PDB file of all heavy atoms in Angstrom:
ATOM      1  N   GLU R 108      -5.460 -23.484  82.259  1.00 97.00           N
ATOM      2  CA  GLU R 108      -4.012 -23.639  82.043  1.00 97.00           C
ATOM      3  C   GLU R 108      -3.270 -24.842  82.619  1.00 97.00           C
ATOM      4  O   GLU R 108      -2.096 -24.882  82.531  1.00 97.00           O
ATOM      5  CB  GLU R 108      -3.418 -22.248  82.698  1.00 97.00           C
ATOM      6  CG  GLU R 108      -3.673 -21.989  84.158  1.00 97.00           C
ATOM      7  CD  GLU R 108      -4.890 -21.070  84.240  1.00 97.00           C
ATOM      8  OE1 GLU R 108      -5.785 -21.092  83.549  1.00 97.00           O
ATOM      9  OE2 GLU R 108      -4.899 -20.271  85.306  1.00 97.00           O
ATOM     10  N   ASP R 109      -4.038 -25.622  83.352  1.00 98.00           N
ATOM     11  CA  ASP R 109      -3.516 -26.805  83.849  1.00 98.00           C
ATOM     12  C   ASP R 109      -3.401 -27.999  82.810  1.00 98.00           C
ATOM     13  O   ASP R 109      -2.864 -29.036  82.998  1.00 98.00           O
ATOM     14  CB  ASP R 109      -4.327 -27.370  84.989  1.00 98.00           C
ATOM     15  CG  ASP R 109      -4.459 -26.389  86.088  1.00 98.00           C
ATOM     16  OD1 ASP R 109      -3.304 -25.616  86.362  1.00 98.00           O
ATOM     17  OD2 ASP R 109      -5.341 -26.438  86.869  1.00 98.00           O
ATOM     18  N   SER R 110      -3.864 -27.746  81.548  1.00 98.00           N
ATOM     19  CA  SER R 110      -3.762 -28.612  80.604  1.00 98.00           C
ATOM     20  C   SER R 110      -2.400 -28.868  80.248  1.00 98.00           C
ATOM     21  O   SER R 110      -1.649 -27.953  79.769  1.00 98.00           O
ATOM     22  CB  SER R 110      -4.536 -28.168  79.192  1.00 98.00           C
ATOM     23  OG  SER R 110      -5.938 -28.054  79.470  1.00 98.00           O
ATOM     24  N   ALA R 111      -1.880 -30.043  80.318  1.00 98.00           N
ATOM     25  CA  ALA R 111      -0.423 -30.277  80.179  1.00 98.00           C
ATOM     26  C   ALA R 111      -0.313 -31.837  80.389  1.00 98.00           C
ATOM     27  O   ALA R 111      -1.213 -32.652  80.564  1.00 98.00           O
ATOM     28  CB  ALA R 111       0.399 -29.615  81.294  1.00 98.00           C
ATOM     29  N   VAL R 112       1.004 -32.371  80.053  1.00 98.00           N
ATOM     30  CA  VAL R 112       1.299 -33.673  80.468  1.00 98.00           C
ATOM     31  C   VAL R 112       1.989 -33.712  81.909  1.00 98.00           C
ATOM     32  O   VAL R 112       2.915 -32.842  81.932  1.00 98.00           O
ATOM     33  CB  VAL R 112       2.341 -34.350  79.400  1.00 98.00           C
ATOM     34  CG1 VAL R 112       2.730 -35.644  79.796  1.00 98.00           C
ATOM     35  CG2 VAL R 112       1.575 -34.414  78.111  1.00 98.00           C
ATOM     36  N   TYR R 113       1.522 -34.651  82.680  1.00 98.00           N
ATOM     37  CA  TYR R 113       2.076 -34.729  84.060  1.00 98.00           C
ATOM     38  C   TYR R 113       2.932 -35.968  84.083  1.00 98.00           C
ATOM     39  O   TYR R 113       2.485 -37.025  83.904  1.00 98.00           O
ATOM     40  CB  TYR R 113       1.122 -34.676  85.063  1.00 98.00           C
ATOM     41  CG  TYR R 113       0.390 -33.360  85.073  1.00 98.00           C
ATOM     42  CD1 TYR R 113      -0.619 -33.006  84.139  1.00 98.00           C
ATOM     43  CD2 TYR R 113       0.810 -32.396  85.943  1.00 98.00           C
ATOM     44  CE1 TYR R 113      -1.164 -31.749  84.308  1.00 98.00           C
ATOM     45  CE2 TYR R 113       0.243 -31.028  86.037  1.00 98.00           C
ATOM     46  CZ  TYR R 113      -0.718 -30.797  85.167  1.00 98.00           C
ATOM     47  OH  TYR R 113      -1.356 -29.529  85.073  1.00 98.00           O
ATOM     48  N   LEU R 114       4.249 -35.733  84.288  1.00 98.00           N
ATOM     49  CA  LEU R 114       5.214 -36.782  84.234  1.00 98.00           C
ATOM     50  C   LEU R 114       5.665 -37.118  85.677  1.00 98.00           C
ATOM     51  O   LEU R 114       6.063 -36.194  86.575  1.00 98.00           O
ATOM     52  CB  LEU R 114       6.441 -36.353  83.526  1.00 98.00           C
ATOM     53  CG  LEU R 114       6.296 -36.040  82.036  1.00 98.00           C
ATOM     54  CD1 LEU R 114       7.371 -35.153  81.427  1.00 98.00           C
ATOM     55  CD2 LEU R 114       6.272 -37.405  81.216  1.00 98.00           C
ATOM     56  N   CYS R 115       5.791 -38.359  85.981  1.00 98.00           N
ATOM     57  CA  CYS R 115       6.466 -38.792  87.127  1.00 98.00           C
ATOM     58  C   CYS R 115       7.814 -39.437  86.994  1.00 98.00           C
ATOM     59  O   CYS R 115       7.945 -39.981  85.769  1.00 98.00           O
ATOM     60  CB  CYS R 115       5.623 -39.790  87.800  1.00 98.00           C
ATOM     61  SG  CYS R 115       6.182 -40.613  89.337  1.00 98.00           S
ATOM     62  N   ALA R 116       8.752 -39.198  87.686  1.00 97.00           N
ATOM     63  CA  ALA R 116      10.039 -39.775  87.650  1.00 97.00           C
ATOM     64  C   ALA R 116      10.723 -40.281  88.902  1.00 97.00           C
ATOM     65  O   ALA R 116      10.032 -39.781  90.067  1.00 97.00           O
ATOM     66  CB  ALA R 116      11.007 -38.811  86.995  1.00 97.00           C
ATOM     67  N   SER R 117      11.505 -41.137  88.836  1.00 96.00           N
ATOM     68  CA  SER R 117      12.155 -41.657  90.067  1.00 96.00           C
ATOM     69  C   SER R 117      13.713 -41.711  90.023  1.00 96.00           C
ATOM     70  O   SER R 117      14.134 -41.950  88.855  1.00 96.00           O
ATOM     71  CB  SER R 117      11.468 -42.957  90.610  1.00 96.00           C
ATOM     72  OG  SER R 117      11.806 -43.940  89.874  1.00 96.00           O
ATOM     73  N   SER R 118      14.318 -41.766  90.979  1.00 94.00           N
ATOM     74  CA  SER R 118      15.717 -42.051  91.059  1.00 94.00           C
ATOM     75  C   SER R 118      16.114 -42.716  92.333  1.00 94.00           C
ATOM     76  O   SER R 118      15.375 -42.712  93.336  1.00 94.00           O
ATOM     77  CB  SER R 118      16.582 -40.761  90.875  1.00 94.00           C
ATOM     78  OG  SER R 118      16.374 -39.892  92.007  1.00 94.00           O
TER      79      SER R 118
END
Side-chain angles (χ1 to χ4, degrees):
Chain R
E108 57 261 37
D109 298 332
S110 293
V112 175
Y113 290 85
L114 295 158
C115 179
S117 70
S118 62

